Amino acid sequence: MERRRFLGLAAAAGATGATAVGAFTAAGCGTGTGTQSAALTVVAADYGDPGRGNGSQAYWNSLVNAFQRKHSGIAVDVQVLSWKDVDRKVAAMVAAGRPPDIAQIGAYADFAAQGRLYSAREVLSIPVQADFLPPLAGAGEVRRVQYGMPFVASTRLLFYNKTLFARAGLDPDAPPRTWEQLARAAARLKAAGVKIPYGLPLGPEEAPAETLLWLLSGGGSYTDKVGNYTIDAAANIKTFDWLRDRLVRRKLTNRDPGGTDRQELFDAFVRGEVGMLNGHPTLLEEVRRRGVKYGTAVVPGAEGPSDGTLGVADWVMAFRQNGRREEAGRFLDFLFSEKNHYAFADRYDLLPVTTSANERMRGHAEHKPLRRFQDELVSAEFYPVGKVSWAKVSADLKKSIGKAVGEGPGPAGVLGAIQRRAEARDSEAEVP
């Protein structure tokens, strides 16, 4: 499944490492009735699997058709790309001097720092901008100005297999609330023959998310309250010491956490091979479809349920170069209207980013399993995506953090090295 495998790689390429690509072609466009030069150009990511008939192009086609019935003078061309390609290709378009008018991708800060983006207040009407959930609006800011408009979001909860819990003699209605309870449950699951008692994905796909979940549950984070990196803080080193000593070295996780991606463990979970892991809303669809008896709980913390949880968002941004501020604003207002925004979140079991669409989702009984995720979103902590250096720091985490639970230099050495590189990149990326 190509649904970004799933949402959560928010620190993708930014504006680096790209090669030039051409402007939109007829084969690459979604809909639009005007000429190429006249059309508002939009690049968006695919959250579905076109091979299974649930690709995102159908949503955008329907949205554009409805928009053009109200705004017949504004043609819109939408190009939907795989998450493997979309960040890189948008960066390439920008580098080649041909940015789209609107992009829906994983990161915005590089473009904002270069002065390429309209601020949210320049393109959105006041009611639409005010409708964003405050934590998400704040996560879209660079130096207190919002440039990133959240598109959809997710949070994380602990998923556990009730059937495997019962087999191990554990109460299937009493998930672990603390690290020690999690370690004891994992040991019982291992003794009962469960292949992977706790799924720990520290491979490139999920490393920044799984890491932040553990840091938050231990009272730490990636940054302090004023935005300085704190990757090697004492609380974070203590967290990874515990993770290495109490789970990894006791063989209560997958064999190679640093080489294991999230999708591997999600697939193993729905096959009944994983006792516990941290998951997000899109995992619900698969466990329901496969008939897995599962439960969810707040992520365990050092002394009790974690006070903080991870929030992840994807972003919409409007580029200045083509001067299409008014047209882009009208389309974005339409995109974020309650009906249209809810339709996308509903289609892919993701969390809406506006207050109005969130309340609408709460009112639908079929989305009851999502309510706990919605509750967590209100107080979630997001990646420091407003820092221009974050894309490179995230890439470093993906490459290096797995070593912290291995047999090498240990958590203090690994986290310290990542911290030093993060500080250097932060200095290089100072916003003028």
Side-chain angles (χ1 to χ4, degrees), residues 62-124:
S62 175
L63 182 79
V64 169
N65 287 334
F67 174 77
Q68 291 183 330
R69 285 196 292 271
K70 291 189 173 184
H71 302 279
S72 58
I74 304 175
V76 182
D77 283 325
V78 180
Q79 184 178 21
V80 176
L81 299 172
S82 158
W83 271 110
K84 292 180 180 178
D85 301 321
V86 66
D87 288 283
R88 175 179 56 83
K89 288 192 175 181
V90 168
M93 293 173 187
V94 174
R98 296 190 293 272
D101 297 303
I102 295 170
Q104 184 269 299
I105 53 176
Y108 65 86
D110 278 3
F111 300 133
Q114 296 164 14
R116 297 182 184 274
L117 302 181
Y118 288 113
S119 68
R121 67 181 298 177
E122 289 178 291
V123 289
L124 296 177

Short mmCIF file of all heavy atoms in Angstrom, two decimals, residues 62-124:
data_model
loop_
_atom_site.label_atom_id
_atom_site.label_comp_id
_atom_site.label_asym_id
_atom_site.label_seq_id
_atom_site.Cartn_x
_atom_site.Cartn_y
_atom_site.Cartn_z
N SER A 62 -12.92 15.44 -8.03
CA SER A 62 -14.24 15.83 -7.55
C SER A 62 -14.21 17.23 -6.94
O SER A 62 -15.10 18.05 -7.17
CB SER A 62 -14.74 14.80 -6.53
OG SER A 62 -15.97 15.21 -5.97
N LEU A 63 -13.15 17.50 -6.15
CA LEU A 63 -13.02 18.81 -5.52
C LEU A 63 -12.91 19.91 -6.56
O LEU A 63 -13.58 20.95 -6.47
CB LEU A 63 -11.78 18.82 -4.62
CG LEU A 63 -11.53 20.12 -3.86
CD1 LEU A 63 -12.43 20.19 -2.63
CD2 LEU A 63 -10.06 20.23 -3.44
N VAL A 64 -12.06 19.70 -7.58
CA VAL A 64 -11.87 20.72 -8.61
C VAL A 64 -13.15 20.95 -9.40
O VAL A 64 -13.52 22.09 -9.70
CB VAL A 64 -10.71 20.33 -9.53
CG1 VAL A 64 -10.66 21.23 -10.76
CG2 VAL A 64 -9.38 20.41 -8.77
N ASN A 65 -13.87 19.88 -9.73
CA ASN A 65 -15.12 20.04 -10.46
C ASN A 65 -16.12 20.87 -9.67
O ASN A 65 -16.80 21.76 -10.21
CB ASN A 65 -15.73 18.67 -10.78
CG ASN A 65 -14.96 17.95 -11.86
OD1 ASN A 65 -14.31 18.57 -12.70
ND2 ASN A 65 -15.02 16.62 -11.87
N ALA A 66 -16.21 20.60 -8.37
CA ALA A 66 -17.13 21.37 -7.52
C ALA A 66 -16.67 22.82 -7.40
O ALA A 66 -17.49 23.76 -7.41
CB ALA A 66 -17.22 20.72 -6.13
N PHE A 67 -15.36 23.02 -7.28
CA PHE A 67 -14.82 24.39 -7.17
C PHE A 67 -15.12 25.18 -8.43
O PHE A 67 -15.52 26.35 -8.37
CB PHE A 67 -13.32 24.32 -6.93
CG PHE A 67 -12.62 25.65 -6.95
CD1 PHE A 67 -12.70 26.51 -5.87
CD2 PHE A 67 -11.88 26.05 -8.07
CE1 PHE A 67 -12.06 27.74 -5.88
CE2 PHE A 67 -11.24 27.28 -8.09
CZ PHE A 67 -11.33 28.13 -6.99
N GLN A 68 -14.93 24.56 -9.59
CA GLN A 68 -15.12 25.29 -10.84
C GLN A 68 -16.58 25.58 -11.15
O GLN A 68 -16.88 26.48 -11.92
CB GLN A 68 -14.44 24.53 -11.98
CG GLN A 68 -12.92 24.56 -11.85
CD GLN A 68 -12.19 23.89 -12.97
OE1 GLN A 68 -12.69 22.94 -13.58
NE2 GLN A 68 -10.98 24.36 -13.26
N ARG A 69 -17.47 24.84 -10.52
CA ARG A 69 -18.90 25.20 -10.67
C ARG A 69 -19.19 26.52 -9.97
O ARG A 69 -20.10 27.25 -10.36
CB ARG A 69 -19.78 24.09 -10.11
CG ARG A 69 -19.87 22.86 -11.02
CD ARG A 69 -21.02 21.95 -10.64
NE ARG A 69 -20.82 21.30 -9.35
CZ ARG A 69 -20.20 20.14 -9.20
NH1 ARG A 69 -19.71 19.50 -10.27
NH2 ARG A 69 -20.06 19.60 -8.00
N LYS A 70 -18.41 26.84 -8.93
CA LYS A 70 -18.59 28.10 -8.21
C LYS A 70 -17.67 29.19 -8.73
O LYS A 70 -17.96 30.38 -8.57
CB LYS A 70 -18.33 27.89 -6.72
CG LYS A 70 -19.38 27.04 -6.02
CD LYS A 70 -19.18 27.07 -4.50
CE LYS A 70 -20.31 26.36 -3.79
NZ LYS A 70 -20.21 26.45 -2.32
N HIS A 71 -16.53 28.80 -9.29
CA HIS A 71 -15.54 29.77 -9.76
C HIS A 71 -15.15 29.40 -11.19
O HIS A 71 -14.03 28.93 -11.44
CB HIS A 71 -14.31 29.74 -8.85
CG HIS A 71 -14.60 30.02 -7.41
ND1 HIS A 71 -14.75 31.29 -6.92
CD2 HIS A 71 -14.79 29.18 -6.35
CE1 HIS A 71 -15.00 31.24 -5.62
NE2 HIS A 71 -15.04 29.97 -5.26
N SER A 72 -16.03 29.64 -12.10
CA SER A 72 -15.83 29.18 -13.49
C SER A 72 -14.65 29.87 -14.16
O SER A 72 -14.12 29.37 -15.14
CB SER A 72 -17.11 29.42 -14.31
OG SER A 72 -17.45 30.80 -14.29
N GLY A 73 -14.21 30.99 -13.62
CA GLY A 73 -13.11 31.70 -14.25
C GLY A 73 -11.74 31.23 -13.80
O GLY A 73 -10.72 31.75 -14.27
N ILE A 74 -11.70 30.27 -12.88
CA ILE A 74 -10.41 29.79 -12.37
C ILE A 74 -10.24 28.32 -12.72
O ILE A 74 -10.90 27.45 -12.15
CB ILE A 74 -10.29 29.96 -10.84
CG1 ILE A 74 -10.53 31.43 -10.43
CG2 ILE A 74 -8.91 29.50 -10.35
CD1 ILE A 74 -10.54 31.66 -8.93
N ALA A 75 -9.38 28.05 -13.69
CA ALA A 75 -9.07 26.66 -14.04
C ALA A 75 -8.03 26.13 -13.05
O ALA A 75 -7.17 26.88 -12.57
CB ALA A 75 -8.54 26.58 -15.46
N VAL A 76 -8.12 24.85 -12.75
CA VAL A 76 -7.20 24.23 -11.79
C VAL A 76 -6.70 22.92 -12.36
O VAL A 76 -7.47 22.08 -12.82
CB VAL A 76 -7.91 23.95 -10.44
CG1 VAL A 76 -6.91 23.36 -9.43
CG2 VAL A 76 -8.54 25.22 -9.88
N ASP A 77 -5.38 22.73 -12.34
CA ASP A 77 -4.76 21.47 -12.74
C ASP A 77 -4.10 20.86 -11.51
O ASP A 77 -3.25 21.50 -10.87
CB ASP A 77 -3.70 21.68 -13.83
CG ASP A 77 -4.32 21.89 -15.19
OD1 ASP A 77 -5.36 21.28 -15.47
OD2 ASP A 77 -3.75 22.68 -15.97
N VAL A 78 -4.47 19.63 -11.18
CA VAL A 78 -3.90 18.94 -10.02
C VAL A 78 -3.09 17.74 -10.49
O VAL A 78 -3.59 16.91 -11.26
CB VAL A 78 -5.01 18.46 -9.05
CG1 VAL A 78 -4.38 17.74 -7.85
CG2 VAL A 78 -5.86 19.63 -8.57
N GLN A 79 -1.86 17.66 -10.02
CA GLN A 79 -1.00 16.52 -10.30
C GLN A 79 -0.79 15.78 -8.98
O GLN A 79 -0.27 16.34 -8.01
CB GLN A 79 0.35 16.99 -10.86
CG GLN A 79 1.28 15.86 -11.26
CD GLN A 79 2.58 16.37 -11.85
OE1 GLN A 79 2.95 17.52 -11.63
NE2 GLN A 79 3.26 15.54 -12.60
N VAL A 80 -1.20 14.51 -8.93
CA VAL A 80 -1.07 13.70 -7.72
C VAL A 80 0.12 12.76 -7.91
O VAL A 80 0.19 12.02 -8.90
CB VAL A 80 -2.36 12.89 -7.45
CG1 VAL A 80 -2.17 11.97 -6.24
CG2 VAL A 80 -3.52 13.86 -7.20
N LEU A 81 1.04 12.79 -6.95
CA LEU A 81 2.27 12.00 -7.04
C LEU A 81 2.42 11.10 -5.82
O LEU A 81 1.92 11.41 -4.74
CB LEU A 81 3.49 12.92 -7.12
CG LEU A 81 3.56 13.87 -8.33
CD1 LEU A 81 4.71 14.85 -8.16
CD2 LEU A 81 3.69 13.09 -9.62
N SER A 82 3.13 10.02 -5.98
CA SER A 82 3.47 9.13 -4.88
C SER A 82 4.26 9.88 -3.81
O SER A 82 5.04 10.80 -4.12
CB SER A 82 4.30 7.96 -5.40
OG SER A 82 5.05 7.37 -4.37
N TRP A 83 4.09 9.46 -2.55
CA TRP A 83 4.88 10.04 -1.47
C TRP A 83 6.37 9.78 -1.66
O TRP A 83 7.20 10.51 -1.11
CB TRP A 83 4.42 9.50 -0.12
CG TRP A 83 3.32 10.32 0.48
CD1 TRP A 83 2.02 9.97 0.64
CD2 TRP A 83 3.43 11.66 0.99
NE1 TRP A 83 1.31 11.00 1.22
CE2 TRP A 83 2.16 12.04 1.44
CE3 TRP A 83 4.48 12.56 1.11
CZ2 TRP A 83 1.90 13.30 2.01
CZ3 TRP A 83 4.23 13.81 1.68
CH2 TRP A 83 2.97 14.16 2.12
N LYS A 84 6.72 8.77 -2.42
CA LYS A 84 8.14 8.53 -2.69
C LYS A 84 8.74 9.63 -3.55
O LYS A 84 9.96 9.83 -3.56
CB LYS A 84 8.32 7.18 -3.38
CG LYS A 84 8.01 5.98 -2.50
CD LYS A 84 8.21 4.69 -3.28
CE LYS A 84 7.91 3.46 -2.43
NZ LYS A 84 8.06 2.20 -3.18
N ASP A 85 7.91 10.32 -4.30
CA ASP A 85 8.39 11.28 -5.29
C ASP A 85 8.01 12.73 -5.04
O ASP A 85 8.68 13.64 -5.52
CB ASP A 85 7.85 10.90 -6.68
CG ASP A 85 8.26 9.51 -7.11
OD1 ASP A 85 9.41 9.12 -6.83
OD2 ASP A 85 7.42 8.80 -7.72
N VAL A 86 6.92 12.96 -4.30
CA VAL A 86 6.31 14.28 -4.33
C VAL A 86 7.19 15.37 -3.74
O VAL A 86 7.34 16.46 -4.33
CB VAL A 86 4.92 14.26 -3.66
CG1 VAL A 86 5.01 13.99 -2.16
CG2 VAL A 86 4.16 15.55 -3.93
N ASP A 87 7.84 15.14 -2.59
CA ASP A 87 8.69 16.19 -2.00
C ASP A 87 9.86 16.51 -2.91
O ASP A 87 10.19 17.68 -3.15
CB ASP A 87 9.18 15.73 -0.63
CG ASP A 87 8.11 15.74 0.43
OD1 ASP A 87 7.77 16.82 0.92
OD2 ASP A 87 7.58 14.66 0.75
N ARG A 88 10.49 15.47 -3.44
CA ARG A 88 11.63 15.66 -4.32
C ARG A 88 11.24 16.41 -5.59
O ARG A 88 11.96 17.31 -6.04
CB ARG A 88 12.23 14.29 -4.67
CG ARG A 88 13.37 14.34 -5.69
CD ARG A 88 13.92 12.95 -5.95
NE ARG A 88 12.89 12.02 -6.39
CZ ARG A 88 12.48 11.91 -7.65
NH1 ARG A 88 13.00 12.70 -8.59
NH2 ARG A 88 11.55 11.03 -7.99
N LYS A 89 10.11 16.06 -6.17
CA LYS A 89 9.72 16.69 -7.43
C LYS A 89 9.28 18.14 -7.25
O LYS A 89 9.56 18.98 -8.10
CB LYS A 89 8.63 15.86 -8.11
CG LYS A 89 9.17 14.55 -8.67
CD LYS A 89 8.18 13.85 -9.58
CE LYS A 89 8.82 12.62 -10.22
NZ LYS A 89 7.90 11.92 -11.15
N VAL A 90 8.62 18.43 -6.13
CA VAL A 90 8.28 19.83 -5.88
C VAL A 90 9.55 20.65 -5.67
O VAL A 90 9.69 21.76 -6.20
CB VAL A 90 7.33 19.96 -4.68
CG1 VAL A 90 7.21 21.43 -4.23
CG2 VAL A 90 5.95 19.43 -5.03
N ALA A 91 10.51 20.10 -4.93
CA ALA A 91 11.78 20.80 -4.75
C ALA A 91 12.48 21.03 -6.09
O ALA A 91 13.09 22.08 -6.31
CB ALA A 91 12.69 19.99 -3.82
N ALA A 92 12.37 20.05 -6.98
CA ALA A 92 12.98 20.20 -8.30
C ALA A 92 12.29 21.28 -9.11
O ALA A 92 12.93 22.06 -9.83
CB ALA A 92 12.93 18.86 -9.04
N MET A 93 10.96 21.34 -9.03
CA MET A 93 10.22 22.40 -9.73
C MET A 93 10.65 23.77 -9.24
O MET A 93 10.85 24.71 -10.03
CB MET A 93 8.72 22.21 -9.51
CG MET A 93 8.13 20.98 -10.16
SD MET A 93 6.39 20.77 -9.66
CE MET A 93 6.02 19.16 -10.38
N VAL A 94 10.80 23.90 -7.93
CA VAL A 94 11.23 25.17 -7.37
C VAL A 94 12.64 25.51 -7.83
O VAL A 94 12.93 26.64 -8.25
CB VAL A 94 11.16 25.12 -5.83
CG1 VAL A 94 11.76 26.39 -5.22
CG2 VAL A 94 9.72 24.94 -5.37
N ALA A 95 13.54 24.54 -7.78
CA ALA A 95 14.92 24.78 -8.20
C ALA A 95 15.01 25.17 -9.66
O ALA A 95 15.90 25.93 -10.07
CB ALA A 95 15.76 23.53 -7.92
N ALA A 96 14.10 24.65 -10.48
CA ALA A 96 14.09 24.94 -11.91
C ALA A 96 13.37 26.25 -12.23
O ALA A 96 13.26 26.63 -13.40
CB ALA A 96 13.44 23.78 -12.67
N GLY A 97 12.85 26.94 -11.19
CA GLY A 97 12.15 28.20 -11.42
C GLY A 97 10.72 28.03 -11.87
O GLY A 97 10.12 28.97 -12.38
N ARG A 98 10.14 26.82 -11.68
CA ARG A 98 8.75 26.57 -12.11
C ARG A 98 7.96 25.94 -10.96
O ARG A 98 7.46 24.82 -11.08
CB ARG A 98 8.74 25.65 -13.32
CG ARG A 98 9.39 26.25 -14.56
CD ARG A 98 9.12 25.40 -15.79
NE ARG A 98 9.78 24.10 -15.70
CZ ARG A 98 11.03 23.85 -16.10
NH1 ARG A 98 11.76 24.84 -16.59
NH2 ARG A 98 11.55 22.65 -15.99
N PRO A 99 7.82 26.63 -9.83
CA PRO A 99 7.08 26.05 -8.72
C PRO A 99 5.59 25.98 -9.04
O PRO A 99 5.08 26.79 -9.82
CB PRO A 99 7.33 27.03 -7.57
CG PRO A 99 7.53 28.34 -8.26
CD PRO A 99 8.28 28.01 -9.52
N PRO A 100 4.89 25.03 -8.46
CA PRO A 100 3.43 25.05 -8.58
C PRO A 100 2.88 26.22 -7.79
O PRO A 100 3.59 26.83 -6.97
CB PRO A 100 3.02 23.71 -7.96
CG PRO A 100 4.08 23.44 -6.95
CD PRO A 100 5.36 23.97 -7.56
N ASP A 101 1.63 26.55 -8.00
CA ASP A 101 1.01 27.60 -7.20
C ASP A 101 0.73 27.11 -5.78
O ASP A 101 0.87 27.86 -4.82
CB ASP A 101 -0.29 28.07 -7.86
CG ASP A 101 -0.04 28.70 -9.22
OD1 ASP A 101 0.74 29.68 -9.28
OD2 ASP A 101 -0.59 28.20 -10.22
N ILE A 102 0.36 25.83 -5.69
CA ILE A 102 0.05 25.22 -4.39
C ILE A 102 0.70 23.85 -4.35
O ILE A 102 0.67 23.12 -5.34
CB ILE A 102 -1.47 25.08 -4.18
CG1 ILE A 102 -2.14 26.46 -4.11
CG2 ILE A 102 -1.80 24.26 -2.93
CD1 ILE A 102 -3.66 26.40 -4.16
N ALA A 103 1.29 23.49 -3.22
CA ALA A 103 1.84 22.15 -3.04
C ALA A 103 1.33 21.58 -1.73
O ALA A 103 1.23 22.28 -0.73
CB ALA A 103 3.36 22.18 -3.04
N GLN A 104 1.01 20.30 -1.75
CA GLN A 104 0.61 19.57 -0.54
C GLN A 104 1.65 18.46 -0.36
O GLN A 104 1.62 17.45 -1.04
CB GLN A 104 -0.80 19.01 -0.70
CG GLN A 104 -1.34 18.30 0.54
CD GLN A 104 -1.02 16.82 0.53
OE1 GLN A 104 -1.45 16.10 -0.36
NE2 GLN A 104 -0.27 16.37 1.53
N ILE A 105 2.60 18.73 0.54
CA ILE A 105 3.76 17.84 0.70
C ILE A 105 4.11 17.71 2.18
O ILE A 105 3.28 17.97 3.05
CB ILE A 105 4.96 18.35 -0.12
CG1 ILE A 105 5.29 19.82 0.19
CG2 ILE A 105 4.68 18.21 -1.61
CD1 ILE A 105 6.52 20.36 -0.52
N GLY A 106 5.36 17.31 2.48
CA GLY A 106 5.72 16.97 3.84
C GLY A 106 6.43 18.06 4.63
O GLY A 106 6.49 17.95 5.85
N ALA A 107 7.00 19.08 3.99
CA ALA A 107 7.77 20.08 4.73
C ALA A 107 7.70 21.42 4.00
O ALA A 107 7.66 21.46 2.77
CB ALA A 107 9.22 19.63 4.87
N TYR A 108 7.70 22.49 4.79
CA TYR A 108 7.53 23.82 4.21
C TYR A 108 8.64 24.80 4.61
O TYR A 108 8.81 25.84 3.98
CB TYR A 108 6.18 24.41 4.66
CG TYR A 108 6.13 24.64 6.15
CD1 TYR A 108 6.61 25.81 6.71
CD2 TYR A 108 5.65 23.66 7.01
CE1 TYR A 108 6.61 26.02 8.08
CE2 TYR A 108 5.65 23.84 8.38
CZ TYR A 108 6.13 25.02 8.91
OH TYR A 108 6.15 25.20 10.26
N ALA A 109 9.38 24.51 5.67
CA ALA A 109 10.23 25.53 6.29
C ALA A 109 11.33 26.04 5.36
O ALA A 109 11.64 27.24 5.36
CB ALA A 109 10.85 24.99 7.58
N ASP A 110 11.94 25.17 4.57
CA ASP A 110 12.98 25.62 3.63
C ASP A 110 12.43 26.68 2.69
O ASP A 110 13.06 27.72 2.45
CB ASP A 110 13.50 24.44 2.80
CG ASP A 110 14.56 23.63 3.54
OD1 ASP A 110 14.83 23.96 4.71
OD2 ASP A 110 15.09 22.67 2.96
N PHE A 111 11.26 26.41 2.14
CA PHE A 111 10.67 27.35 1.18
C PHE A 111 10.28 28.66 1.86
O PHE A 111 10.44 29.74 1.29
CB PHE A 111 9.45 26.72 0.52
CG PHE A 111 9.75 25.44 -0.24
CD1 PHE A 111 8.96 24.32 -0.07
CD2 PHE A 111 10.81 25.37 -1.12
CE1 PHE A 111 9.22 23.14 -0.76
CE2 PHE A 111 11.09 24.21 -1.81
CZ PHE A 111 10.30 23.09 -1.63
N ALA A 112 9.77 28.56 3.11
CA ALA A 112 9.42 29.78 3.84
C ALA A 112 10.67 30.61 4.12
O ALA A 112 10.66 31.84 3.96
CB ALA A 112 8.71 29.42 5.14
N ALA A 113 11.75 29.95 4.53
CA ALA A 113 12.99 30.67 4.84
C ALA A 113 13.57 31.37 3.62
O ALA A 113 14.23 32.40 3.74
CB ALA A 113 14.01 29.70 5.42
N GLN A 114 13.31 30.83 2.45
CA GLN A 114 13.79 31.43 1.20
C GLN A 114 12.87 32.54 0.70
O GLN A 114 13.15 33.14 -0.35
CB GLN A 114 13.91 30.35 0.12
CG GLN A 114 14.96 29.28 0.43
CD GLN A 114 14.78 28.04 -0.42
OE1 GLN A 114 14.05 28.04 -1.42
NE2 GLN A 114 15.43 26.96 -0.03
N GLY A 115 11.79 32.82 1.43
CA GLY A 115 10.86 33.88 1.02
C GLY A 115 9.99 33.51 -0.15
O GLY A 115 9.45 34.39 -0.83
N ARG A 116 9.80 32.22 -0.39
CA ARG A 116 9.05 31.77 -1.56
C ARG A 116 7.55 31.62 -1.32
O ARG A 116 6.80 31.43 -2.29
CB ARG A 116 9.60 30.42 -2.05
CG ARG A 116 11.05 30.46 -2.51
CD ARG A 116 11.50 29.10 -3.01
NE ARG A 116 12.90 29.07 -3.39
CZ ARG A 116 13.37 29.41 -4.59
NH1 ARG A 116 12.51 29.83 -5.52
NH2 ARG A 116 14.65 29.34 -4.86
N LEU A 117 7.11 31.65 -0.07
CA LEU A 117 5.72 31.30 0.24
C LEU A 117 4.91 32.51 0.68
O LEU A 117 5.42 33.42 1.34
CB LEU A 117 5.68 30.25 1.36
CG LEU A 117 6.42 28.94 1.12
CD1 LEU A 117 6.24 28.03 2.33
CD2 LEU A 117 5.93 28.24 -0.15
N TYR A 118 3.62 32.47 0.34
CA TYR A 118 2.67 33.38 0.97
C TYR A 118 2.45 32.90 2.40
O TYR A 118 2.45 31.69 2.69
CB TYR A 118 1.33 33.35 0.24
CG TYR A 118 1.32 34.01 -1.12
CD1 TYR A 118 1.12 33.25 -2.27
CD2 TYR A 118 1.47 35.39 -1.26
CE1 TYR A 118 1.08 33.84 -3.53
CE2 TYR A 118 1.43 35.99 -2.51
CZ TYR A 118 1.24 35.22 -3.64
OH TYR A 118 1.20 35.81 -4.87
N SER A 119 2.24 33.83 3.30
CA SER A 119 1.81 33.43 4.64
C SER A 119 0.35 33.00 4.58
O SER A 119 -0.39 33.33 3.64
CB SER A 119 1.97 34.59 5.62
OG SER A 119 1.05 35.62 5.32
N ALA A 120 -0.08 32.26 5.60
CA ALA A 120 -1.46 31.80 5.63
C ALA A 120 -2.43 32.97 5.62
O ALA A 120 -3.47 32.92 4.95
CB ALA A 120 -1.69 30.93 6.87
N ARG A 121 -2.10 34.03 6.32
CA ARG A 121 -3.02 35.16 6.38
C ARG A 121 -3.12 35.89 5.05
O ARG A 121 -4.11 36.60 4.80
CB ARG A 121 -2.60 36.14 7.49
CG ARG A 121 -1.30 36.86 7.25
CD ARG A 121 -0.97 37.79 8.41
NE ARG A 121 -1.99 38.82 8.56
CZ ARG A 121 -1.97 39.74 9.52
NH1 ARG A 121 -1.03 39.72 10.44
NH2 ARG A 121 -2.90 40.67 9.57
N GLU A 122 -2.13 35.75 4.17
CA GLU A 122 -2.18 36.40 2.86
C GLU A 122 -3.11 35.68 1.90
O GLU A 122 -3.58 36.28 0.93
CB GLU A 122 -0.77 36.46 2.24
CG GLU A 122 0.16 37.44 2.91
CD GLU A 122 1.53 37.44 2.30
OE1 GLU A 122 2.25 36.44 2.45
OE2 GLU A 122 1.89 38.45 1.65
N VAL A 123 -3.37 34.39 2.13
CA VAL A 123 -4.19 33.64 1.17
C VAL A 123 -5.51 33.13 1.74
O VAL A 123 -6.46 32.90 0.97
CB VAL A 123 -3.40 32.44 0.58
CG1 VAL A 123 -2.31 32.93 -0.35
CG2 VAL A 123 -2.81 31.56 1.67
N LEU A 124 -5.61 32.97 3.03
CA LEU A 124 -6.82 32.41 3.61
C LEU A 124 -7.72 33.50 4.17
O LEU A 124 -7.25 34.52 4.68
CB LEU A 124 -6.49 31.43 4.75
CG LEU A 124 -5.70 30.18 4.39
CD1 LEU A 124 -5.41 29.38 5.66
CD2 LEU A 124 -6.47 29.32 3.39
#
